[in-house]
Amino acid sequence: MSSVVTQPMYFDTASTTQIAQEVLDEMVACLSSNGCHGNPSSLMHQPGRAAAAVVAAARKQMAAELGCEAGEILFTSGATEANNLAIQGVALAHAEQGRHLITSKIEHKSVLETCQALERQGFDVTYLTPNRAGWIELEDVKNALRTDTLLVSLMHTNNETGIQQPLEAVADLIANAGVLFHVDASQAAGKFRIDLNSIPIDLLSISAHKFHGPKGAGCLFIRNRRRLKIQPLVFGGGQEFGLRSGTLATHQIVGLSEAMHLAASRRDADFFHVVELKSFFLERLAMQIKIKIHGDPRCCSPYLVNISIAGISSDALINQLLNDVAISSGAACSSGTIDSSYVLRAMGIDGDDLYGAVRIGFSRYHTISDVLKAAQHIVSAVHRMQELD
Ligand code: PMP
């Protein structure tokens, strides 16, 4: 006997998003038998040159969306690799000039663990603490700068709280100090306009699957790539300007650039849509149960919210909702551990608020009816749990 398994509604879009049909179509066309099967590095024949042209067009497209040169875009397997390459690549190539790095306690593990790996190699790292609102104070960045500081790495939008850093002011401060600035823009790229022409960011990491592109695709922007020394992490055939060897995944690169193009073409409409979704969702919840929002809502991305519900633990709530709504209590890479969120802890959140925190993500593909249904499922789950208590 076959049983029909219904999927829960998906609201964990900070973890990953569903691929857009337009992106999938382009990727399938690229992968199909009459698609683009040459190796983009095999320039001696037509199929290779055709693939190289597709990669070049994607690079140009990414550059146009970000306000930079095509030669400043380096394709990677995602933001984890881009973060590793930016931080390790710069640190190892400039170790003679300085051995100090600055980052924050609320960065993604791909930044934090990279910094820890560098500490084991003799680098000194300052981990800044955010304020209760969830962002890093400019004054703290200023005070942490030293004469031997090589690089500051701060994220654009936090993946657990949605809180956005005051990047323009930080970027100016760091540029004036003559220090390199790396930004993990995984939760921002595609969703918010990032104009690299007007903000002095030196390195920027992007992940395609956070804005309806494929998993396993991303890029690293490197300002003045020809002049900035970076030590590669992967050696081999010398692809990607000798900084990232390995045959280029043409279809993934096509997926990334198509996702970016699509996101940019509908950015404002998507933005206002998720603003509305989030506000309907929170209103519906607040009418029926007591919730607390973490981080300052005025600096928060409309794509994400982190809340605690009085007297309810996140694990129990997520379990209650298992068949109805997929939400999470933190970053996918750190869940599976029973530890509470290091991001919220760094913000000074503790007790029930900390152990009850869940994040809910909104996307262009949700409708108002979806968010109202999800809110109702949450309210019912909370009421069931309260009755059991
Ligand atoms: N940084 C942040 C802020 C993220 O949210 C993620 C995805 N969890 C990453 C980096 C890693 O991105 P990827 O999955 O492309 O390696």
Side-chain angles (χ1 to χ4, degrees), residues 78-80 83 108 110 155 159 184 186-187 207 209-210:
T80 295
N83 288 343
H108 188 260
S110 56
M155 68 205 324
N159 49 303
D184 176 359
S186 300
Q187 297 289 338
S207 172
H209 71 100
K210 306 290 184 179

Side-chain angles (χ1 to χ4, degrees), residues 184-254:
D184 176 359
S186 300
Q187 297 289 338
K191 302 178 176 110
F192 303 94
R193 173 130 179 78
I194 297 173
D195 182 10
L196 292 166
N197 247 324
S198 65
I199 175 165
I201 290 170
D202 298 290
L203 301 128
L204 184 110
S205 304
I206 290 181
S207 172
H209 71 100
K210 306 290 184 179
F211 52 99
H212 307 290
K215 293 164 190 56
C219 67
L220 176 65
F221 156 76
I222 308 172
R223 191 178 296 283
N224 295 327
R225 187 200 30 88
R226 282 188 189 78
R227 270 180 280 142
L228 182 64
K229 267 201 306 178
I230 295 196
Q231 180 162 313
L233 303 180
V234 181
F235 297 89
Q239 288 90 344
E240 293 301 83
F241 325 111
L243 289 174
R244 198 259 184 182
S245 287
T247 302
L248 288 167
T250 319
H251 60 293
Q252 295 289 81
I253 291 168
V254 163

Side-chain angles (χ1 to χ4, degrees), residues 37 84 161 170 177 190 194 214 224 231 318 325 337 342 351 357 365:
H37 58 271
N84 270 265
T161 60
V170 177
I194 297 173
N224 295 327
Q231 180 162 313
I318 289 164
V325 189
T337 63
Y342 65 86
Y365 298 121

